[in-house]
Amino acid sequence: MAIITIEQLPAWLADGRTLAGLDLGDKTIGVAVSDRGFAFAHPRPVIMRKKFSLDAAVLLALLKKENVGAVAIGLPINMDGSEGPRAQKSRAFVRNMAQLSDLPFVFWDERLSTVAAERTLIEMDFSRAKRAGKIDSAAAAFILQGVLDRLQSLDSGDRTELGGQAEPGPNDDA
């Protein structure tokens, strides 16, 4: 398993693969999956967290079913740009997943994604109870849509360097 940059994603998404987005919560894992054209993020039902091994098994089964080639995971950066305990939990989750899967992960700044998702659900007139059950998958869709939009801009010729650590893609010489 590799941690890759946005620019390296296309190499991992060949052969009809999709891209998944994750929003890690304490009680649930929000999941969204792209279409094969990488234009739209589609929320999937949340995964109710129990313990890591069970959560990982359910998640990996879903990712296999959805033909996922890579995963974008929200990184909860503080508003001042620093990383707090929640960001450390996300990084630990990816390290633990690396022992179970070869899928590459890309971190995506998720600041305000839950706020944006909640506003959208409110605008759609979801009750508080219904929002609670959908908020993490809606946030995962916001995270994934941000990644998809960035991929589209890269495809259009905007090659701005995003930085970050990365490992070679599946077709790169190591």
Side-chain angles (χ1 to χ4, degrees), residues 77-90:
I77 306 283
N78 294 326
M79 293 306 286
D80 66 2
S82 64
E83 291 188 16
R86 290 192 62 229
Q88 293 169 1
K89 285 182 182 181
S90 294

Side-chain angles (χ1 to χ4, degrees), residues 5-69:
T5 64
I6 297 285
E7 292 85 357
Q8 293 171 308
L9 271 174
W12 293 88
L13 300 174
D15 303 322
R17 297 279 191 174
T18 60
L19 179 62
L22 300 181
D23 181 59
L24 293 182
D26 290 329
K27 297 179 184 176
T28 63
I29 300 173
V31 182
V33 178
S34 74
D35 61 336
R36 290 175 197 244
F38 306 108
F40 301 104
H42 302 281
R44 295 296 187 253
V46 297
I47 296 171
M48 300 305 296
R49 297 191 81 170
K50 294 175 176 64
K51 67 178 196 172
F52 177 78
S53 60
L54 297 174
D55 301 345
V58 171
L59 178 60
L60 289 172
L62 174 65
L63 298 177
K64 183 176 181 179
K65 176 184 169 199
E66 296 283 357
N67 197 29
V68 169

